[in-house]
């Protein structure tokens, strides 16, 4: 059985615990043999790990509504399990976290920490420093200097004279803990705020990366100083050995890894042997840096930095991240919590010092960063937001504090104070930045949000969203038929939508159209390469077409935000999104992913411009590699139908496009008029007035279209008189099968007797009555269809309101009514 022996040295007031237990007490023989499982190390560790993960996840769920990063929940979870809350009960402390279990717990926690710091190094892109490198360096330095000065000022109040350590070393640790910015925590906060791809987000990430690297260098020096009380030859050897280790990693190990990975055949995944070599290298690097006198995580972090970006880095992240960050890393925060005793802050004066330290440390970083941003003529609110973001604390600071406590630089009170400072400074970031930073200030309103308002002698901007390469040929044919000319070139933003899996945060990747020659690292990359190559060839062959490919990696629940934000940023007139059903071999349509439908519905409800849903049944080139299409527009009236006619009008400018416009008119308006005018309800009168205004707009636009295209032999205009939905369906079915594309309006917010009854059996109400009919498997025609919704918002930045008609019962959308967060332009080719 385990036994604890307390050895006390009365003179120095130092207490040591020597824990003795039988080495065979790893696994229990079972409760039926009378054993207590918690007396054995493995069952006890399993209980501890389960408790830590459950409490951490519960806190993540509780803090999610107030948008707190996960690190807050992990630190708080450790504090709750420690002597400050649950640990105050001696029964709980001695049963669940007895002294004899600390060695196993700390060993596993440090292994998790080792691999987590390795993953941080892998995810860091050092190439980011080349962009805005001087600005980021100055911001990082300014964000470190003032907090260091503040920390040294308060060290006199926090330093215990009885501690067997120099005050200079104490100042070094305190200043480092206050000045550091946690790169992984900041990345999660920026992703939560949808700022990770904005200019301020990129500057913050670059500055925090520099800050983290400087922090590790300073920490290595600090450890060398604490382990050697005087600046001696041993300290110099520690520093020189660390520099030598870094040089060997970058100039010897990295080329060997690159050479090894280059031997992997194209299209094949990284071998298990190579993965095992890398994972073993992490342990060896940690061992070497621990032997030379710096912390083992420093070696793991540097080893992560030398992993080349590409298939190897992605494979390592996918295999390790969930296990390490979800299971092992919370153990490290639990250990930190077990060391945190808030009751050590035993006076009101100390609590007052704590509040002052939090306020002044935050203010110091903010002031330093704002000074640099004003020098670079950035807006004040951006500088303020950047300064607040640079206050993100978390893992790195907790590592610094743990090292300081293990080295007996920090006592119980100082350690508890700094842990609370880390929680307080990080917790206030997201709420304050949300209030201070309004990305919409960076945008000026633009008028050409619709195809109708985009003149035929102006640039036509289109955002195309693609899930799989299967939709690419039809979309390219549609864009080529949109008649790009020198007077009206088409600027196409191609957005490949990828579901976020196995990463901490979403991202938006801007691709270079030049081929790199590198093999695809996975299926997603292969699809992106296929899409990019197809549009690159289209750009070269079509002329007057400019393509910018991008990839958005985000959860399906927020993917529509990426589409809408990019559309707002690039000021596009039309978003084209694929229908959630794809054509099968027998010509029918089947659902590929139900999440695609939710994305489409959310885009329709939140888009800052017009939207077109493409029902793909094939729209390919004819012989001689030249397009030749027969397009039909079904016009019933309303803003969406006018937008559909505007797009078809643009396509009719193409020499090889034949256009048929079929306008449907009611046969008996008398009955309709009597129904509309019955009663004296003011709302009915308002609806009728609005309907008359829409009719007038329809007449004016159709008249303009017929006047300007009357002499064009490739355009046919037909009017059909119908009385109800059944006659409308019959008229549509009578159209000959030569047409390969139908363009129709969605008919949002309008009711018409011409479509009465068609919505009763709608499968996809988001397409509208006519669009749903054309996409139906019962419909005889096998032509593609583009269902268009015109933007009817009141102004730039306002969410789109799509009122549904009282007579049309749409299925409820799964909407996320979050504010559109626009981002500054990061696209080099405008």
């Amino acid at each position: 059985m385990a036994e604890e022996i307390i050895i006390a040295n009365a003179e120095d007031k130092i207490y040591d615990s020597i824990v003795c237990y039988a080495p065979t007490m790893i696994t229990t023989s079972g409760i039926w043999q009378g054993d207590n499982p918690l007396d054995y190390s493995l069952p006890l560790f399993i209980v501890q790990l389960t408790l830590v993960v459950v409490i951490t996840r519960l806190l993540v769920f509780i803090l999610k509504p107030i948008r707190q990063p996960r690190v807050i929940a992990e630190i708080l979870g450790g504090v709750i399990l420690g002597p400050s809350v649950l640990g105050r009960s001696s029964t709980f402390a001695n049963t669940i976290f007895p002294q004899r279990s600390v060695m196993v717990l700390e060993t596993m926690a440090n292994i998790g920490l080792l691999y987590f710091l390795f993953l941080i190094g892998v995810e860091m892109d050092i190439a980011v420093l080349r962009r805005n490198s001087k600005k980021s360096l100055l911001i990082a330095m300014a964000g470190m200097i003032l907090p260091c000065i503040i920390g040294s000022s308060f060290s006199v109040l926090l330093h215990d004279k009885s501690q067997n350590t120099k005050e200079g070393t104490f100042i070094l640790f305190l200043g480092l803990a206050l000045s550091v910015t946690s790169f992984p925590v900041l990345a999660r906060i920026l992703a939560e705020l949808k700022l990770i791809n904005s200019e301020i987000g990129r500057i913050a990430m670059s500055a925090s990366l520099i800050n983290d690297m400087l922090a590790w260098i300073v920490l290595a020096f600090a450890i060398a100083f604490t382990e050697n009380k005087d600046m001696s030859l041993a300290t110099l050897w520690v520093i020189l050995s660390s520099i030598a280790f870094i040089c060997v990693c970058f100039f010897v190990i990295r080329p060997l890894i690159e050479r090894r990975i280059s031997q992997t055949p194209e299209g094949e995944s990284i071998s298990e042997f190579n993965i095992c070599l890398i994972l073993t290298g992490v342990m060896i690097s940690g061992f070497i840096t621990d032997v030379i006198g710096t912390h083992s995580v420093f070696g793991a972090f540097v080893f992560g930095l030398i992993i080349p970006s590409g298939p190897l880095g992605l494979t390592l992240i996918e295999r390790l991240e969930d296990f390490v960050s979800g299971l092992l890393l919370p153990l490290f925060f639990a250990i930190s919590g077990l060391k945190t005793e808030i009751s050590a802050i035993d006076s009101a004066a100390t609590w007052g010092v704590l509040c002052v330290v939090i306020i002044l440390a935050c203010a110091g970083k903010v002031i330093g960063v704002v000074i640099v941003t004003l020098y670079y003529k950035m807006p004040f609110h951006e500088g303020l937001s950047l300064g607040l973001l640079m206050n993100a604390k978390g893992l790195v600071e907790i590592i610094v504090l743990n090292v300081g406590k293990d080295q007996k630089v920090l006592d119980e009170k100082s350690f508890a104070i700094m842990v609370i400072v880390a929680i307080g400074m990080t917790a206030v970031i997201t709420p304050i930045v949300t209030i201070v930073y309004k990305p919409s200030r960076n945008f000026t309103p633009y008028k050409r949000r619709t195809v109708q308002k985009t003149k035929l002698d102006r640039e036509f901007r289109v955002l195309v969203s693609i899930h799989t390469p299967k939709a690419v040929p039809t979309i390219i044919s549609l864009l080529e038929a949109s008649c790009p000319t020198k007077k009206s070139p088409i600027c196409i933003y191609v957005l490949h939508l990828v579901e976020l899996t196995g990463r901490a945060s979403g991202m938006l990747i801007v691709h270079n159209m030049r081929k790199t020659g590198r093999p695809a690292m996975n299926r997603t990359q292969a699809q992106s390469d296929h899409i990019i190559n197809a549009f690159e060839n289209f750009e070269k062959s079509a002329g007057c077409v400019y393509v910018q490919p991008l990839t958005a990696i985000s959860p399906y629940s927020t993917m529509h935000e990426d589409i809408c934000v990019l559309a707002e940023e690039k000021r596009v007139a039309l978003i084209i999104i694929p229908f959630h059903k794809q054509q099968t071999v027998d010509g029918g349509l089947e659902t590929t992913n139900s999440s695609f439908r939710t994305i489409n519905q959310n885009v329709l409800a939140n888009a800052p411009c017009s939207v077109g849903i493409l029902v793909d049944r094939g729209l390919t080139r004819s012989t001689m590699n030249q397009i030749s299409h027969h397009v039909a527009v079904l016009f019933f009236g309303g803003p969406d139908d006018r937008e559909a006619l505007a797009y078809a009008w643009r396509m009719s400018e193409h020499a090889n496009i034949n256009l048929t416009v079929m306008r449907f008119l009611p046969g008996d308006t008398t009955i309709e008029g009597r129904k509309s005018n019955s009663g004296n309800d003011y709302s009915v009168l308002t609806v009728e007035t609005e309907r008359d205004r829409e009719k007038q707009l329809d007449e004016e636009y159709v008249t303009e279209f017929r006047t300007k295209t009357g002499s064009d032999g490739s355009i046919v205009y037909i009017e059909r008189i119908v009385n109800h939905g059944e006659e409308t369906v019959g008229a549509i079915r009578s159209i000959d099968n030569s047409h390969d594309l139908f363009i129709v309006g969605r008919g949002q917010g309008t009711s018409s007797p011409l479509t009465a009854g068609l919505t009763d059996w709608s499968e996809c109400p988001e397409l509208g009555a006519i669009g749903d009919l054309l996409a139906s498997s019962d419909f005889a025609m096998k032509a593609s269809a583009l269902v268009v919704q015109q933007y009817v918002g009141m102004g730039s930045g306002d969410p789109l309101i799509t009122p549904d008609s009282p007579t049309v019962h749409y299925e409820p959308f799964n909407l996320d009514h979050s504010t559109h967060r626009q981002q500054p332009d990061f696209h080099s080719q405008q």
Side-chain angles (χ1 to χ4, degrees):
M1 298 297 291
E3 182 182 0
E4 293 188 10
I5 303 173
I6 307 296
I7 299 178
N9 187 326
E11 182 180 352
D12 296 331
K13 296 181 181 179
I14 298 175
Y15 298 90
D16 293 322
S17 298
I18 300 176
V19 181
C20 306
Y21 64 94
T24 57
M25 295 180 64
I26 305 299
T27 58
T28 177
S29 299
I31 57 174
W32 309 119
Q33 300 293 330
D35 288 345
N36 181 2
L38 298 183
D39 288 338
Y40 296 81
S41 59
L42 181 60
L44 180 60
F45 174 74
I46 293 173
V47 170
Q48 292 170 336
L49 180 60
T50 304
L51 191 61
V52 168
V53 172
V54 168
I55 289 182
T56 299
R57 289 297 170 182
L58 183 62
L59 288 171
V60 168
F61 177 76
I62 293 172
L63 297 176
K64 188 174 183 180
I66 56 176
R67 306 177 76 176
Q68 291 299 318
R70 193 173 71 183
V71 68
I72 296 292
E74 290 169 336
I75 297 175
L76 284 177
V79 172
I80 289 173
L81 292 171
S84 302
V85 185
L86 296 178
R88 296 179 70 88
S89 168
S90 58
T91 303
F92 176 83
N94 295 330
T95 304
I96 305 300
F97 292 100
Q99 197 71 20
R100 59 186 167 80
S101 70
V102 172
M103 184 178 70
V104 176
L105 201 59
E106 286 211 33
T107 302
M108 292 303 299
N110 278 280
I111 289 176
L113 184 64
L114 201 71
Y115 279 103
F116 186 75
L117 265 295
F118 165 71
L119 290 178
I120 290 177
V122 172
E123 289 181 337
M124 280 187 176
D125 184 8
I126 302 180
V128 172
L129 300 179
R130 298 171 187 170
R131 303 186 292 269
N132 298 320
S133 56
K134 186 177 179 181
K135 185 190 297 184
S136 300
L137 178 61
L138 289 177
I139 288 174
M141 295 297 294
M144 292 188 75
I145 293 172
L146 278 180
C148 273
I149 295 173
I150 292 171
S152 60
S153 302
F154 280 90
S155 64
V156 179
L157 299 175
L158 297 176
H159 185 246
D160 189 351
K161 299 299 182 182
S162 64
Q163 286 179 253
N164 189 24
T165 183
K166 287 186 177 182
E167 188 171 347
T169 308
F170 181 81
I171 292 173
L172 188 61
F173 270 90
L174 193 63
L176 180 60
L178 288 174
S179 60
V180 73
T181 299
S182 179
F183 175 82
V185 175
L186 180 62
R188 288 183 174 91
I189 291 175
L190 290 171
E192 174 71 22
L193 295 173
K194 292 290 180 180
L195 296 176
I196 199 164
N197 295 303
S198 65
E199 182 66 18
I200 187 175
R202 287 193 298 276
I203 294 174
M205 293 288 282
S206 301
S208 67
L209 193 152
I210 296 171
N211 187 293
D212 262 17
M213 290 183 174
L214 293 175
W216 284 114
I217 295 171
V218 175
L219 180 60
F221 277 91
I223 293 173
F225 293 151
T226 54
E227 292 183 346
N228 302 277
K229 305 299 181 184
D230 300 315
M231 185 63 184
S232 60
L233 186 62
T235 305
L236 182 62
W237 276 116
V238 170
I239 297 170
L240 292 177
S241 300
S242 300
I243 296 173
F245 171 77
I246 294 172
C247 293
V248 169
C249 283
F250 275 93
F251 299 110
V252 178
I253 305 300
R254 182 183 172 92
L256 291 176
I257 294 175
E258 290 178 337
R259 182 179 177 183
R260 180 75 187 176
I261 298 305
S262 65
Q263 295 174 356
T264 302
E266 182 177 350
E268 291 190 10
S269 59
I270 306 298
S271 67
E272 295 292 333
F273 180 73
N274 288 334
I275 297 295
C276 289
L277 279 180
I278 297 299
L279 297 183
T280 306
V282 177
M283 304 297 288
I284 294 173
S285 299
F287 172 77
I288 292 173
T289 51
D290 198 66
V291 167
I292 65 179
T294 53
H295 203 285
S296 58
V297 295
F298 177 74
F301 175 72
V302 173
F303 192 74
L305 287 176
I306 67 171
I307 299 298
S309 59
L312 178 59
L314 188 65
T315 303
L316 289 168
I317 291 170
E318 288 179 346
R319 298 214 181 166
L320 291 178
E321 188 169 39
D322 289 337
F323 177 72
V324 172
S325 63
L327 201 63
L328 295 183
L329 187 64
L331 281 178
F332 175 74
F333 291 103
I335 288 293
S336 303
L338 292 174
K339 298 177 182 177
T340 304
E341 193 164 355
I342 298 177
S343 60
I345 309 174
D346 52 3
S347 65
T350 308
W351 281 103
V353 170
L354 172 63
C355 294
V356 173
V357 168
I358 293 176
I359 294 171
L360 291 183
C362 280
K365 253 190 189 300
V366 171
I367 292 171
V369 171
V370 167
I371 291 173
V372 176
T373 55
L374 291 178
Y375 172 76
Y376 281 101
K377 298 180 180 179
M378 292 175 64
F380 175 77
H381 73 278
E382 287 191 8
L384 181 60
S385 302
L386 192 56
L388 289 168
L389 290 169
M390 293 298 290
N391 275 295
K393 306 292 181 185
L395 181 66
V396 181
E397 184 184 20
I398 298 299
I399 293 173
V400 171
L401 296 178
N402 274 277
V403 171
K405 194 170 189 303
D406 293 340
Q407 299 291 339
K408 294 182 170 36
V409 175
L410 302 175
D411 60 1
E412 296 286 348
K413 183 172 72 173
S414 301
F415 184 83
I417 287 175
M418 295 310 298
V419 169
I420 296 175
V421 167
I423 295 173
M425 292 178 70
T426 308
V428 300
I429 292 176
T430 303
I432 297 179
V433 172
T434 303
I435 296 171
V436 173
Y437 185 67
K438 302 294 183 183
S440 57
R441 297 176 184 172
N442 297 327
F443 283 97
T444 55
Y446 71 100
K447 295 180 179 179
R448 295 191 296 275
R449 293 176 180 265
T450 66
V451 181
Q452 188 178 350
K453 291 184 178 179
T454 304
K455 297 180 180 179
L456 295 177
D457 58 350
R458 299 290 182 87
E459 182 186 51
F460 181 42
R461 295 191 175 194
V462 182
L463 171 61
V464 177
S465 300
I466 299 174
H467 296 286
T468 62
K470 188 175 181 180
V472 170
T474 297
I475 290 177
I476 288 180
S477 296
L478 177 65
L479 293 171
E480 188 173 6
S482 301
C483 193
T485 62
K486 290 184 178 179
K487 288 185 178 180
S488 181
I490 300 180
C491 184
I492 306 168
Y493 299 95
V494 183
L495 185 62
H496 181 204
L497 302 173
V498 179
E499 184 186 13
L500 173 64
T501 54
R503 289 189 57 90
S505 59
M507 61 168 55
L508 185 66
I509 304 171
V510 182
H511 297 283
N512 190 341
M513 289 293 284
R514 301 185 190 91
K515 295 181 180 179
T516 61
R518 295 180 181 177
M521 63 181 72
N522 52 28
R523 182 171 175 267
T524 299
Q525 172 109 31
Q527 288 186 343
S528 291
D529 290 345
H530 181 90
I531 294 168
I532 292 170
N533 291 337
F535 276 92
E536 183 181 21
N537 294 332
F538 169 52
E539 182 181 28
K540 290 178 180 178
S541 62
C544 303
V545 172
Y546 307 99
V547 177
Q548 172 63 73
L550 308 98
T551 298
I553 305 175
S554 58
Y556 285 140
S557 59
T558 61
M559 198 169 278
H560 67 280
E561 294 180 6
D562 294 325
I563 299 172
C564 295
V565 166
L566 188 64
E568 178 81 28
E569 179 188 345
K570 301 304 181 184
R571 304 188 176 192
V572 303
L574 178 66
I575 299 172
I576 298 177
I577 50 179
F579 190 45
H580 68 276
K581 294 183 180 181
Q582 288 186 352
Q583 190 174 25
T584 58
V585 178
D586 59 358
L589 294 174
E590 66 176 5
T591 301
T592 54
N593 190 327
S594 59
S595 298
F596 295 170
R597 182 182 186 185
T598 304
I599 295 170
N600 292 352
Q601 292 169 337
N602 289 336
V603 170
L604 288 170
N606 296 282
C609 60
S610 294
V611 180
I613 298 180
L614 180 62
V615 181
D616 182 10
R617 287 195 177 99
L619 188 67
T620 56
R621 297 165 183 254
S622 61
T623 57
M624 303 299 293
N625 204 32
Q626 295 292 324
I627 66 165
S628 178
H629 298 301
H630 294 264
V631 181
V633 175
L634 307 180
F635 190 93
F636 293 85
D640 293 349
D641 285 38
R642 292 195 295 272
E643 187 76 352
L645 180 58
Y647 190 62
W649 191 349
R650 179 182 184 89
M651 295 178 70
S652 69
E653 297 290 321
H654 198 288
N656 295 327
I657 297 294
N658 294 304
L659 175 62
T660 300
V661 178
M662 181 177 287
R663 185 181 184 186
F664 293 83
L665 297 171
D668 187 357
T669 57
T670 307
I671 299 175
E672 179 192 355
R674 285 201 301 265
K675 287 183 178 180
S676 300
N677 293 322
S678 61
N680 296 319
D681 186 18
Y682 177 75
S683 61
V684 174
L685 181 60
T686 303
V687 170
E688 184 62 28
T689 304
E690 180 68 21
R691 183 178 298 168
D692 291 340
R693 191 177 71 87
E694 288 294 332
K695 285 184 178 180
Q696 183 179 356
L697 292 173
D698 292 340
E699 288 294 339
E700 291 175 355
Y701 195 67
V702 170
T703 301
E704 181 186 2
F705 169 76
R706 295 185 65 185
T707 302
K708 293 184 177 180
T709 61
S711 59
D712 192 338
S714 63
I715 298 176
V716 177
Y717 176 82
I718 305 170
E719 290 186 353
R720 286 292 179 90
I721 307 299
V722 292
N723 294 303
H724 46 74
E726 187 177 345
E727 291 186 3
T728 300
V729 173
I732 295 175
R733 291 183 185 276
S734 68
I735 300 176
D736 61 79
N737 292 324
S738 63
H739 297 88
D740 48 10
L741 175 65
F742 284 86
I743 303 179
V744 298
R746 178 184 169 223
Q748 56 162 341
T750 61
S751 60
S752 171
L754 308 184
T755 58
L758 296 184
T759 57
D760 295 342
W761 55 81
S762 290
E763 294 181 21
C764 303
E766 67 269 18
L767 295 181
I770 303 302
D772 180 75
L773 175 67
L774 295 174
S776 172
S777 55
D778 299 331
F779 195 62
M781 294 182 186
K782 300 302 179 184
S784 297
L786 182 67
V787 183
V788 180
Q789 171 184 280
Q790 187 178 64
Y791 174 75
V792 293
M794 297 305 293
S796 178
D798 295 332
L800 178 62
I801 302 171
T802 55
D804 292 330
S805 170
T807 61
V808 181
H809 302 286
Y810 290 102
E811 293 178 355
F813 289 175
N814 179 22
L815 298 181
D816 182 358
H817 294 288
S818 56
T819 304
H820 294 155
R821 300 190 181 278
Q822 296 100 4
Q823 304 166 357
D825 191 78
F826 52 85
H827 163 225
S828 58
Q829 176 187 352
Q830 190 66 28

